[in-house]
Amino acid sequence: ENFVPKTSAPFSTNSYDAFISPNTLNLSSFTKLLKKLQEIHPEASRDKIVDALLEVRKNNKGILSGLSISSIVERTSVLL
């Protein structure tokens, strides 16, 4: 049998790519989350919001799954 080893895609250091991973939020949830945070914090840039989300993830053992959207928004808002 031919066995082809699976290789992983290269990981980007771009904050958007770092935030969107199969183990965190899907794109739809991320988009809704970002939109909600931009409405609450219109003065914050997209990059600043993503940085705050990454910090929330880091403070939650490196994952966002298991947290409700409202909890993520609340924790991110504290940082912003």
Side-chain angles (χ1 to χ4, degrees), residues 22-23 71 77:
N23 298 323
S71 177
S77 292

PDB file of all heavy atoms in Angstrom, residues 22-23 71 77:
ATOM      1  N   PRO A  22      -8.559  25.770  13.585  1.00  0.00           N
ATOM      2  CA  PRO A  22      -9.661  24.814  13.744  1.00  0.00           C
ATOM      3  C   PRO A  22     -10.054  24.590  15.205  1.00  0.00           C
ATOM      4  O   PRO A  22     -11.157  24.166  15.487  1.00  0.00           O
ATOM      5  CB  PRO A  22      -9.096  23.522  13.152  1.00  0.00           C
ATOM      6  CG  PRO A  22      -7.974  23.938  12.292  1.00  0.00           C
ATOM      7  CD  PRO A  22      -7.435  25.215  12.875  1.00  0.00           C
ATOM      8  N   ASN A  23      -9.165  24.888  16.129  1.00  0.00           N
ATOM      9  CA  ASN A  23      -9.451  24.626  17.527  1.00  0.00           C
ATOM     10  C   ASN A  23     -10.031  25.818  18.274  1.00  0.00           C
ATOM     11  O   ASN A  23     -10.230  25.749  19.472  1.00  0.00           O
ATOM     12  CB  ASN A  23      -8.175  24.163  18.238  1.00  0.00           C
ATOM     13  CG  ASN A  23      -7.658  22.881  17.641  1.00  0.00           C
ATOM     14  OD1 ASN A  23      -8.433  22.015  17.263  1.00  0.00           O
ATOM     15  ND2 ASN A  23      -6.353  22.758  17.536  1.00  0.00           N
ATOM     16  N   SER A  71     -19.101  35.939  27.070  1.00  0.00           N
ATOM     17  CA  SER A  71     -17.961  35.894  27.985  1.00  0.00           C
ATOM     18  C   SER A  71     -16.696  36.388  27.280  1.00  0.00           C
ATOM     19  O   SER A  71     -15.909  37.138  27.868  1.00  0.00           O
ATOM     20  CB  SER A  71     -17.760  34.460  28.488  1.00  0.00           C
ATOM     21  OG  SER A  71     -16.624  34.390  29.312  1.00  0.00           O
ATOM     22  N   SER A  77     -13.412  43.164  26.241  1.00  0.00           N
ATOM     23  CA  SER A  77     -13.740  44.559  26.542  1.00  0.00           C
ATOM     24  C   SER A  77     -12.923  45.080  27.715  1.00  0.00           C
ATOM     25  O   SER A  77     -12.512  46.243  27.726  1.00  0.00           O
ATOM     26  CB  SER A  77     -15.239  44.709  26.832  1.00  0.00           C
ATOM     27  OG  SER A  77     -15.982  44.478  25.652  1.00  0.00           O
TER      28      SER A  77
END
